Amino acid sequence: MNVPVRSSDKDLLSDDLHHLLQQLSTRKKIWKDTYLFQEGMEAEELYLIQSGLVQIEKLTADGKEMTLRMCKANDIVGELTLFSEEAKYMLSAKVLSDGEVLVINKNKLEKELVENGALTFEFMKWMSTHLRKIQSKIRDLLLNGKKGALYSTLIRLANSYGIQRVDGILINIVLTNQELANFCAAARESVNRMLGELRKLGVISIEPSGKIVIHELDFLKNEIDCENCPIDICNID
């Protein structure tokens, strides 16, 4: 079985649109455990990641942290505020590893898009894809509960960071059980228990490095009645 390779946002945008984003941007270094922006702040910028890892998260009403995306090189964050009056960031962007981003002024980008209908249409289509991703993650949580959310998270991680091996798919990124729990809006103890059950069934194993190997991907898909969404929707980014 081959693991599909997820396209980056750069691959989903035309050369003209990507060139425009680069033209309007300035470079900025980012550092682990800082924020590009936080929920509720005035939204003035979008960011095109060049290197590093950025986590997009949301605080629930009871104060729990829910992770919606893990973004890497060539992904765009902060896009949901475009063409919004007095826009504020609806999510937070936490830096997980040092890197660099291109900072794009929201007002300048809006002005350029208004003057170019073709690029505006393309950008709106791209934004629609991102909204579909978020909707699919919320659907998994609502329809399948905490277990379904964990299973779908493992599938998405395999699509984004999976490396095919003889014994299964290695998820080539280390996440703590608490970080996995944040994708599911679940308690760490619940995720510990569910991962333990999957290990007993031989569905997954965990290497000494902390990386997860999925041995039975079809088991996870069958448990959540996987709809086999396109790879550009079913990913963790």
Side-chain angles (χ1 to χ4, degrees), residues 18 21 46-50 74-76 100-102 104:
H18 194 262
L21 296 178
L46 289 77
Y47 302 86
L48 176 58
I49 300 172
Q50 299 297 285
N74 291 319
D75 286 332
I76 301 173
E100 187 176 65
V101 296
L102 298 182
I104 305 157

Side-chain angles (χ1 to χ4, degrees), residues 196-214:
E197 292 173 352
L198 290 176
R199 292 174 71 179
K200 289 179 181 178
L201 292 171
V203 176
I204 68 167
S205 62
I206 300 177
E207 301 202 321
S209 64
K211 295 178 180 179
I212 295 174
V213 180
I214 300 177

Side-chain angles (χ1 to χ4, degrees), residues 128-185:
S128 175
T129 298
H130 275 272
L131 290 174
R132 288 174 62 199
K133 290 182 186 180
I134 293 173
Q135 289 173 342
S136 70
K137 292 171 186 176
I138 294 173
R139 174 203 64 198
D140 291 339
L141 179 60
L142 293 178
L143 296 183
N144 299 303
K146 304 296 194 246
K147 180 178 288 188
L150 175 62
Y151 290 6
S152 67
T153 295
L154 292 173
I155 295 169
R156 293 173 192 276
L157 285 167
N159 287 339
S160 291
Y161 295 96
I163 296 177
Q164 185 67 56
R165 304 196 321 191
V166 173
D167 61 340
I169 303 167
L170 170 70
I171 298 176
N172 194 30
I173 184 174
V174 177
L175 295 173
T176 66
N177 287 2
Q178 181 60 62
E179 288 169 332
L180 283 174
N182 291 345
F183 280 105
C184 315

Side-chain angles (χ1 to χ4, degrees), residues 8-51:
S8 67
D9 286 342
K10 180 180 178 181
D11 297 322
L12 299 177
L13 301 175
S14 71
D15 290 341
D16 288 342
L17 185 49
H18 194 262
H19 181 65
L20 173 63
L21 296 178
Q22 290 182 314
Q23 274 190 322
L24 297 175
S25 67
T26 57
R27 289 186 176 271
K28 177 182 178 180
K29 294 287 187 181
I30 56 176
W31 310 103
K32 182 179 178 180
D33 294 329
T34 62
Y35 285 85
L36 288 178
F37 53 83
Q38 290 182 280
E39 185 177 348
M41 289 175 55
E42 297 289 337
E44 299 176 347
E45 298 165 336
L46 289 77
Y47 302 86
L48 176 58
I49 300 172
Q50 299 297 285
S51 60

Side-chain angles (χ1 to χ4, degrees), residues 55-68:
Q55 173 178 288
I56 305 302
E57 58 189 31
K58 173 79 175 177
L59 283 179
T60 62
D62 58 359
K64 290 182 180 179
E65 181 183 293
M66 183 175 183
T67 302
L68 295 174

